[in-house]
Amino acid sequence: MHEKLMENMKSIIIGKDDALRRILTALLANGHILIEDMPGVGKTTAAKVLAKSMELSFSRIQFTPDLLPSDILGVSVYRRDTYAFEFRKGPVFNQIVLADEINRASPKTQSSLLEAMEERQVTMEGKTYVFEGPFMVIATQNPIEYEGTFPLPEAQLDRFLMKISMGYPAREDEMKIVERMGTQTDLNKISSVVSPREVIQMQEDVKSVHADESIWAYIVDIVRKTRSSDEVVLGCSPRAAVGLLSAAKAHAYIKSRKFVLPEDVRELAIDVLAHRMIVKPEVRYKGRRASEIVADILSIVKVPKVMAHDE
């Protein structure tokens, strides 16, 4: 099923197979994803294509400085005919939620997503509304626009399973994009290839992918190294270790394997861990990034030997 989903997305998003695979990995691992990149590289289109490919409800929330939590979660409205308040659900009550330019909203508004992202529910005025799965937040932010933005707090960043970038397409791919957009509107013609029930089944299948105890230890050793690094103020939490294992399982599933290999962990470690770390200011000023620190950690942590017969 995931092959059909991937091919359907690739028919619209040209030349970004790796980014699409990361987005699909996050979905199958039941996680959320943050995409940081320049405007116009396909961040919004990727979210729409994902929702349309799976018959999932989709909402786009444009984050602005004046956006309120009620604009996301919903609001209670008094009805004169019933003499009672009625809760009208906000756009977060969809299955794929695009939080566009999330760092333009205030910290208070950003934090309104925390419960939804972590617990798949929203509590309003003492009543809890539980989401029907699948549910995924795809957030975007532009790295070059700092004026009028609010950096995401650590608690918010920790809720995102992965942080990725789309990147500019290669020249040949960009030629295809220009040609295609000049002749037809593909996004409106895309059809769904996977049902919500099948998505939930794939998420359950991912959970059953086998991970040897040596893989657990490998992940824990990597995460603990982020905390002991002299270049880091704040390392990764145990939630990051759990997230890396979930992502590695999803990656193995996409590769049509029923077991996790160290390569799955190494492939996703930077995307899962780097955005959760706070690098010391003096280190950051030298141009050193969290992704480079994670890469160095991967080079020194002993890689376990996992045999294919674990299947």
Side-chain angles (χ1 to χ4, degrees), residues 106-126:
S106 67
K108 179 179 180 181
T109 301
Q110 292 175 11
S111 63
S112 65
L113 280 173
L114 289 177
E115 182 183 9
M117 293 175 68
E118 182 66 19
E119 302 177 43
R120 268 66 175 179
Q121 65 181 36
V122 167
T123 302
M124 293 291 290
E125 299 179 356

Side-chain angles (χ1 to χ4, degrees), residues 59 61 69-77 86-94 122 124 127-132:
S59 66
I61 307 172
S70 58
D71 296 326
I72 298 172
L73 304 177
V75 63
S76 292
V77 178
E86 177 184 288
F87 178 64
R88 294 185 180 177
K89 295 179 179 179
V92 75
F93 286 88
N94 282 280
V122 167
M124 293 291 290
K127 185 174 181 180
T128 299
Y129 301 86
V130 180
F131 298 162
E132 294 184 6

